[in-house]
Amino acid sequence: MIETITRRSLIAGLGATGALAPAILRAQTLFTAYPFRLGIAAGDPAADGFVIWTRLAPEPLEPHGGMPLEPVEVEWQVASDAAMRTVVQKGVALARPELAHSVHVEVTGLQPGRPYWYRFTAGRERSPAGRARTTPAIGAALDKVRFGVAGCQSYEDGLFTAYRHLAAEQDLDFVFHYGDYFYEGRSSPMPVGYDGKPRPFVRAHIGGEIYSLDDYRRRYAQYKADPDLQLAHASTAWFTTYDDHEVDNNWVQEIDQDGTPPEIFALRRAAAFQAYYEHMPLRKRSFPNAGGITINRRAQFGNLLDAHFLDTRQFRSDQPCGDGFKTYCPGIDDPKAAVLGTAQEDWLYRNLKESKARWNVLAQQVMVMNLDRRTGDEPEPIRNIDSWAGYAAPRERLLQHLRGMGNAVVLTGDEHQNFAGELRTKGGMGDVVAVEFVSTSITSGGSGQDKRFGTEKIIAASQELKQTNDQRGYLLCEVSPNLWQSSWRVVDKVHEPGGVISTRATFSVEHGKPAIQI
Ligand code: FE
Ligand code: CA
């Protein structure tokens, strides 16, 4: 209360001097604590620039992050050197209370294919510097692109040690985040592993399940206060997409898992989308409106790689068979079923057709491989209905468009383990048309082990799946004109500090030959 009075008197004082517009605070003495406690980030790199992001939050878990309900000026700088001596772009942005005092600056006018460094200043407080690379000029001859793939970072399941290691990877062009940036549930302090046995409880969610805009903001604040996550953001630009848990478990369109009336769930979804935009380094094109958001987008890396980032939630038809891991039901073969929806499918197929790049990557959320998930003696095949396996018609349409390309790689998350496999038409029984790498989780599922119980059985039952691993970490991809390589980077533990990183396996794909070489 005392702070509020102080701020009000300050505003009144400044207004009286006429020194600045009365509604905009210059943040000289406003902060009760360091305001950059949620870190900084860069995103959506292009050949001429990228987005830089921060959110002023001196008290991250308090309402409005401990900020006064006024716009506050934030200075930003982009430099061509790590010491920030040669500033090449700078400006002032407004951190507005409507957007949780987040700042999204679309920096332009930069040179293609080189690293830059950026930082923010508010009042007397200065953020650390982050690094981001612009993409190479479109069509430029390029011999290498190197990037990481990460997601599924349940705070309660483990420490973000893998992010500390990801931040230390050299010369990453970008990170693709496939979603589950947080989990929406209340704290569940008695976790059970995939084997049904109790596993260590690491740290607790604050509050119950999240519903309101303030709830979502506070959950982002709790996660983003993590120093390892902040390091990974500061190390390179990210392309972020959401999966289900940024809103609610297994949602699609305006349908949640609990049968909530769609117009009511739509309000929750709109709050989640707003908070998502506020906390991610997204361009203005992703600004949420009319309850929706645009996150499918394309990025091009010289003549080497076209990346297509997909949204497999917002336009998907309801999961058939009652969702979950289920045996066959006729809904799987519904010819009207959708995963991407018509507009996004048309956009993707047009991009693929027009692509002149050596490689195409489909960066998305849920598994395309159609696996029989039986791990015991169940009589009928079991599918993961909340994946492309529950949507036979759109899956077949996608694979028919990849057929003959010989340069398509699909990157996926959601499964909380590493899978490497080949995508076959006709529900997994036809020709191989592309390769899929499913990246494991940063923490979700806990420390894990090399193989999850029963996965040998899944491999044996599938022509598509080649190898699995059940440790935590991220995927590292190195793309050159004739060879694609993906490595499983795994940490030996996430339930306590000190997890050691190693490469569990590296897979190669030759250009023109959609097959995995182990
Ligand atoms: Fe997840
Ligand atoms: Ca559903």
Side-chain angles (χ1 to χ4, degrees):
M1 195 61 200
I2 291 166
E3 284 166 27
T4 307
I5 291 165
T6 308
R7 280 177 203 126
R8 281 194 183 135
S9 359
L10 178 68
I11 296 162
L14 290 170
T17 65
L20 73 168
I24 298 172
L25 298 185
R26 287 238 163 95
Q28 310 296 355
T29 54
L30 287 174
F31 303 120
T32 50
Y34 185 61
F36 298 105
R37 292 171 71 185
L38 302 182
I40 54 170
D44 283 13
D48 69 338
F50 38 75
V51 179
I52 56 175
W53 172 94
T54 193
R55 179 188 162 195
L56 301 178
E59 310 286 353
L61 301 176
E62 295 301 310
H64 310 289
M67 288 292 291
L69 293 179
E70 302 286 348
V72 174
E73 287 187 339
V74 180
E75 293 170 48
W76 57 270
Q77 293 178 317
V78 174
S80 56
D81 64 311
M84 302 287 307
R85 285 201 188 89
T86 310
V87 172
V88 294
Q89 295 281 0
K90 61 180 181 174
V92 179
L94 271 187
R96 296 180 183 276
E98 294 92 330
L99 294 173
H101 292 97
S102 62
V103 170
H104 302 72
V105 180
E106 291 194 64
V107 182
T108 57
L110 304 183
Q111 298 298 311
R114 59 149 296 160
Y116 287 94
W117 289 262
Y118 61 94
R119 69 183 176 195
F120 299 92
T121 307
R124 286 190 287 268
E125 305 288 354
R126 174 165 280 171
S127 78
R131 175 191 174 281
R133 283 189 80 91
T134 49
T135 63
I138 292 167
L142 205 64
D143 57 11
K144 194 169 77 174
V145 173
R146 212 170 123 81
F147 63 95
V149 180
C152 286
Q153 51 202 51
S154 169
Y155 192 82
E156 300 202 312
D157 284 5
L159 304 174
F160 294 162
T161 315
Y163 270 135
R164 180 165 288 265
H165 294 295
L166 179 60
E169 298 283 359
Q170 295 300 303
D171 295 325
L172 291 189
D173 289 277
F174 65 91
V175 163
F176 163 54
H177 193 282
Y178 59 74
D180 290 2
Y181 195 94
F182 63 40
Y183 287 76
E184 80 284 10
R186 63 179 172 82
S187 184
S188 28
M190 287 167 60
V192 175
Y194 294 111
D195 56 3
K197 294 179 190 150
R199 60 176 166 76
F201 178 71
V202 180
R203 47 186 182 173
H205 277 162
I206 295 168
E209 180 158 348
I210 53 179
Y211 289 94
S212 73
L213 179 55
D214 284 343
D215 295 344
Y216 282 99
R217 285 171 172 170
R218 185 162 73 160
R219 191 57 59 86
Y220 278 112
Q222 186 182 12
Y223 275 61
K224 279 187 156 286
D226 184 280
D228 294 339
L229 176 58
Q230 290 187 13
L231 274 182
H233 272 297
S235 71
T236 191
W238 290 25
F239 291 98
T240 67
T241 63
Y242 51 71
D243 192 20
D244 53 337
H245 291 287
E246 283 85 351
V247 181
D248 183 37
N249 183 49
N250 283 15
W251 71 278
V252 295
Q253 284 188 28
E254 294 181 348
I255 303 163
D256 76 357
Q257 61 180 350
D258 306 318
T260 305
E263 70 276 16
I264 293 176
F265 177 66
L267 294 176
R268 181 186 187 183
R269 199 188 76 161
F273 283 169
Q274 178 175 339
Y276 184 75
Y277 173 80
E278 288 171 350
H279 292 84
M280 295 296 141
L282 290 167
R283 290 183 182 271
K284 194 68 180 287
R285 67 186 297 280
S286 294
F287 198 90
N289 54 45
I293 191 170
T294 304
I295 59 155
N296 64 297
R297 55 208 191 275
R298 178 177 65 165
Q300 296 176 283
F301 296 82
N303 64 352
L304 190 55
L305 178 68
D306 281 357
H308 314 274
F309 302 94
L310 307 182
D311 179 344
T312 56
R313 289 282 165 198
Q314 199 176 187
F315 310 105
R316 193 189 331 171
S317 51
D318 196 11
Q319 294 96 335
C321 320
D323 204 353
F325 279 47
K326 294 284 170 59
T327 55
Y328 177 82
C329 79
I332 291 177
D333 288 320
D334 180 358
K336 291 198 195 67
V339 175
L340 302 176
T342 309
Q344 189 179 189
E345 266 194 60
D346 291 349
W347 166 84
L348 174 63
Y349 300 152
R350 197 168 57 242
N351 283 350
L352 292 175
K353 198 173 165 195
E354 289 170 0
S355 172
K356 295 184 176 68
R358 196 71 179 155
W359 295 93
N360 277 274
V361 61
L362 276 60
Q364 52 102 54
Q365 295 79 34
V366 290
M367 190 149 67
V368 181
M369 278 183 276
N370 182 24
L371 304 182
D372 178 353
R373 309 301 291 260
R374 279 180 292 185
T375 55
D377 53 4
E378 303 91 333
E380 299 279 319
I382 294 172
R383 309 280 167 203
N384 177 4
I385 302 300
D386 185 48
S387 74
W388 290 80
Y391 298 80
R395 181 188 190 277
E396 185 66 13
R397 216 157 45 232
L398 175 73
L399 296 187
Q400 290 299 339
H401 278 86
L402 301 183
R403 176 195 277 276
M405 288 178 59
N407 70 359
V409 174
V410 177
L411 298 176
T412 302
D414 182 54
E415 294 282 347
H416 305 171
Q417 57 180 322
N418 282 304
F419 288 97
E422 297 166 350
L423 295 172
R424 292 172 177 268
T425 58
K426 298 181 180 156
M429 308 298 283
D431 302 331
V432 177
V433 298
V435 165
E436 180 174 30
F437 294 107
V438 177
S439 177
T440 188
S441 56
I442 289 289
T443 54
S444 301
S447 288
Q449 56 274 306
D450 188 47
K451 298 286 178 196
R452 191 176 299 177
F453 174 81
T455 44
E456 292 309 318
K457 196 162 177 173
I458 301 175
I459 291 176
S462 169
Q463 286 196 77
E464 296 190 302
L465 182 58
K466 300 302 174 194
Q467 203 167 315
T468 69
N469 163 268
D470 187 24
Q471 290 168 287
R472 309 288 76 82
Y474 52 89
L475 192 71
L476 191 64
C477 299
E478 194 165 305
V479 186
S480 60
N482 295 321
L483 193 68
W484 178 297
Q485 288 193 301
S486 285
S487 297
W488 290 344
R489 298 281 282 159
V490 300
V491 284
D492 60 350
K493 58 182 176 185
V494 297
H495 65 280
E496 58 185 15
V500 175
I501 192 88
S502 64
T503 298
R504 173 63 186 79
T506 297
F507 305 90
S508 297
V509 186
E510 281 176 29
H511 182 265
K513 201 171 154 195
I516 285 187
Q517 279 131 29
I518 297 170

